[in-house]
Amino acid sequence: CAPLQLYTPRLAAWEPLLEPWSIRPTGLFHPRAAPPYSELSLHADTPCNVNLSVSMCELLSRSFLTLLEDVMGKAQVAAEAQAFLPFSIKNETGTVLRYGRAGEGE
């Protein structure tokens, strides 16, 4: 699993949210059992480290509330509003990726 980092404007730095971590998923399907069932297991040799700081919690809550307002149609976009980008997206899919926050009438 790749590390997940968030940019914290207050600190002007990237902070790790999830540190690098390796998991191995395994699965089994038991079609002859009554009733048929599947098993899924996740195995990790090391613990998953999640880091939370006060500034990171403020950033995540503000981002979540903004997303919630967008989804519920309650977003208020001011003409003089500045862009707020708490993250960076690296596209390695080979396809075009378009991302942004829509304003009124878009």
Side-chain angles (χ1 to χ4, degrees):
C1 177
L4 176 62
Q5 297 183 347
L6 293 174
Y7 182 74
T8 307
R10 186 198 304 172
L11 301 175
W14 289 91
E15 291 186 277
L17 178 60
L18 290 179
E19 304 224 358
W21 183 54
S22 296
I23 59 171
R24 292 180 314 278
T26 58
L28 293 171
F29 178 60
H30 303 278
R32 295 190 179 124
Y37 67 95
S38 298
E39 292 181 50
L40 177 64
S41 299
L42 299 175
H43 302 277
D45 296 326
T46 58
C48 177
N49 293 316
V50 179
N51 302 307
L52 291 174
S53 66
V54 172
S55 59
M56 192 180 296
C57 288
E58 290 171 351
L59 174 67
L60 289 171
S61 65
R62 189 169 61 237
S63 298
F64 176 74
L65 290 174
T66 300
L67 176 64
L68 189 60
E69 288 174 351
D70 286 348
V71 169
M72 296 178 67
K74 296 182 178 179
Q76 304 212 355
V77 180
E80 66 276 358
Q82 295 180 347
F84 174 68
L85 302 172
F87 43 82
S88 174
I89 297 174
K90 184 176 181 181
N91 182 7
E92 295 180 350
T93 64
T95 61
V96 175
L97 175 67
R98 291 193 173 103
Y99 178 82
R101 181 175 176 182
E104 300 259 339
E106 292 181 33

